[in-house]
Amino acid sequence: MELTELVDRLDDELRTDDYADLDASANGLQVGPDETEVEHVAFAVDGVDATFERAIDVGADALVVHHGLSWGGFDRVTGRTYDRLEPLFENDLALYVSHLPLDGHQELGNAAGVADVLDLENRTPFGELGPEYIGQRGTAADAYSPDELRKRLEDSLETGGQPVQSLEFGPEEIDEVAIVTGSGTDWLDEAVDAGADALVTGEGKGKAYHEAREAGIHVFLAGHYATETFGVRSLQELVEEWGLETSYFDVPTGL
């Protein structure tokens, strides 16, 4: 498959253009030649030295990640930026990035993956960002206690051995759950307005403690990395259906 075809297919599935004015990440193809053949695509959460090296070791032609290299562009290609780009150029490794489009995808996205883990039903988009959404909410098939929900997350997510933190200020039974992966506590008020008993996200901000306490809602902090492995894994399955060889690299940060 030509790289341009792979990029076009991914952009269409993820509606990359719809997030162009909403996301600091330069989504789509960040590094790559105009024309090249792709047979092997690697997948990882982060576009960093560790994942570049693994992709090169397996002979991948392209690497698809959630967190890329360009956040608002490069002023200079020097220092650490140069060091990260150099192996891509030297090994003809293309880099494709999908940040908020992959968060917001209601079937393949990160929040959808967490909702699968929690067996949520009656799902709807959640986490408004302009005209788009970056999360999902739904109803638990069976109500959770706070301990049960935390344990389900710890047992199912790649937390790097770290516990799931929780701010337990909500009801004894959790039925309605809102999800924004990564750093999502800015959507706590929206979760409250939506009638959620709990907000599940990756990492928090200091103000979230008192906001959750005053609003009477649970907040579960399951790790930025741990909540964002689902999207790239779903894309891997999709690309395999397109007939390409794939690899996935798990490089948990514990954060």
Side-chain angles (χ1 to χ4, degrees), residues 102 105 172:
L102 192 53
H105 198 291
E172 292 182 4

Side-chain angles (χ1 to χ4, degrees), residues 27-81:
N27 296 308
L29 185 66
Q30 282 194 359
V31 179
D34 291 334
E35 295 183 6
T36 191
E37 187 75 15
V38 175
E39 297 179 355
H40 188 160
V41 183
F43 295 82
V45 174
D46 300 311
V48 293
D49 289 345
T51 56
F52 295 163
E53 290 172 2
R54 294 192 188 189
I56 292 165
D57 286 345
V58 300
D61 305 299
L63 174 65
V64 175
V65 300
H66 182 51
H67 301 128
L69 297 177
S70 177
W71 301 87
F74 301 121
D75 292 328
R76 294 175 176 82
V77 182
T78 60
R80 188 157 55 90
T81 300

Side-chain angles (χ1 to χ4, degrees), residues 236-250:
Q236 179 187 14
E237 293 178 3
L238 180 64
V239 169
E240 284 180 351
E241 293 176 3
W242 295 345
L244 297 176
E245 182 182 357
T246 69
S247 299
Y248 172 76
F249 307 122
D250 185 28

Side-chain angles (χ1 to χ4, degrees), residues 172-196:
E172 292 182 4
E173 290 193 346
I174 299 171
D175 290 298
E176 301 297 322
V177 181
I179 303 166
V180 175
T181 62
S183 179
T185 53
D186 286 342
W187 283 267
L188 189 147
D189 286 341
E190 184 180 337
V192 173
D193 291 342

Side-chain angles (χ1 to χ4, degrees), residues 71-242:
W71 301 87
F74 301 121
D75 292 328
R76 294 175 176 82
V77 182
T78 60
R80 188 157 55 90
T81 300
Y82 180 89
D83 291 340
R84 279 188 168 176
L85 286 168
E86 185 178 22
L88 301 179
F89 295 141
E90 286 188 348
N91 295 276
D92 293 324
L93 178 65
L95 180 68
Y96 182 94
V97 177
S98 186
H99 184 233
L100 295 185
L102 192 53
D103 286 327
H105 198 291
Q106 294 299 297
E107 295 178 1
L108 304 178
N110 290 314
V114 176
D116 287 342
V117 164
L118 297 177
D119 295 326
L120 300 188
E121 302 174 340
N122 304 319
R123 302 183 195 181
T124 58
F126 174 80
E128 287 189 52
L129 189 65
E132 299 296 337
Y133 293 88
I134 58 171
Q136 195 169 94
R137 63 180 292 267
T139 304
D142 295 300
Y144 290 99
S145 70
D147 285 344
E148 288 170 340
L149 195 147
R150 185 177 59 252
K151 188 175 188 306
R152 173 67 70 90
L153 292 170
E154 287 179 343
D155 289 346
S156 304
L157 272 57
E158 300 166 6
T159 64
Q162 299 300 311
V164 171
Q165 295 179 293
S166 58
L167 307 175
E168 298 181 11
F169 298 119
E172 292 182 4
E173 290 193 346
I174 299 171
D175 290 298
E176 301 297 322
V177 181
I179 303 166
V180 175
T181 62
S183 179
T185 53
D186 286 342
W187 283 267
L188 189 147
D189 286 341
E190 184 180 337
V192 173
D193 291 342
D197 302 312
L199 171 67
V200 176
T201 186
E203 60 182 287
K205 298 178 180 179
K207 65 178 183 176
Y209 177 92
H210 289 290
E211 289 178 345
R213 182 175 181 274
E214 292 164 7
I217 188 173
H218 299 292
V219 177
F220 294 87
L221 308 174
H224 197 126
Y225 180 93
T227 58
E228 297 199 324
T229 63
F230 298 96
V232 287
R233 285 185 176 274
S234 294
L235 289 183
Q236 179 187 14
E237 293 178 3
L238 180 64
V239 169
E240 284 180 351
E241 293 176 3
W242 295 345

